[in-house]
Amino acid sequence: MKSYNSIEERIDILQSRIAAYKDEIETLETEPKSNNERIIFKFIETGSTGKTKDFVRELGIKSPRDSLYSSGDVSKLIKDGADDINPALLEIARALASARNKNGPSC
């Protein structure tokens, strides 16, 4: 564990983490406002582009290429984003995708 200059410094760091967790919870509690947000929520829920692709196909949503969604389309949406996706939601998905790519599944 890292050492700190003071207890107050440690408290400040912990309080900022709490604030960040509260913001993330608030973002995750909102209802999706578009199909792209539904896709991002599903990715966050499953942590899997394959399972997300299956979900999107079940809904009958076409990819931007006007064909069935693929795992690559899900990855591209996470990477590139879209105008109708809440930036905070996209940030959560990108962090999850990055953590999975580097270290396996993440909570």
Side-chain angles (χ1 to χ4, degrees), residues 3-107:
S3 62
Y4 300 91
N5 293 327
S6 67
I7 293 295
E8 290 78 18
E9 179 185 1
R10 176 72 177 150
I11 290 169
D12 288 344
I13 290 169
L14 292 172
Q15 287 177 334
S16 69
R17 286 184 191 166
I18 290 170
Y21 289 142
K22 285 181 180 181
D23 290 344
E24 184 171 336
I25 289 168
E26 186 177 312
T27 299
L28 293 173
E29 288 179 334
T30 62
E31 291 295 319
K33 295 174 181 59
S34 67
N35 282 335
N36 283 334
E37 280 195 356
R38 289 172 70 188
I39 294 167
I40 296 298
F41 268 107
K42 192 63 171 182
F43 173 75
I44 292 169
E45 179 183 319
T46 65
S48 165
T49 56
K51 290 178 183 175
T52 303
K53 170 221 21 152
D54 294 340
F55 167 78
V56 176
R57 286 183 177 185
E58 286 175 13
L59 294 177
I61 299 171
K62 297 278 186 164
S63 76
R65 299 174 290 110
D66 199 34
S67 63
L68 292 176
Y69 245 82
S70 70
S71 295
D73 292 321
V74 175
S75 295
K76 183 171 175 38
L77 181 61
I78 294 165
K79 181 182 176 196
D80 296 346
D83 293 338
D84 60 348
I85 300 174
N86 176 337
L89 185 64
L90 201 53
E91 185 178 322
I92 295 167
R94 286 175 178 157
L96 177 62
S98 177
R100 286 189 59 81
N101 289 339
K102 292 177 184 163
N103 304 317
S106 174
C107 56

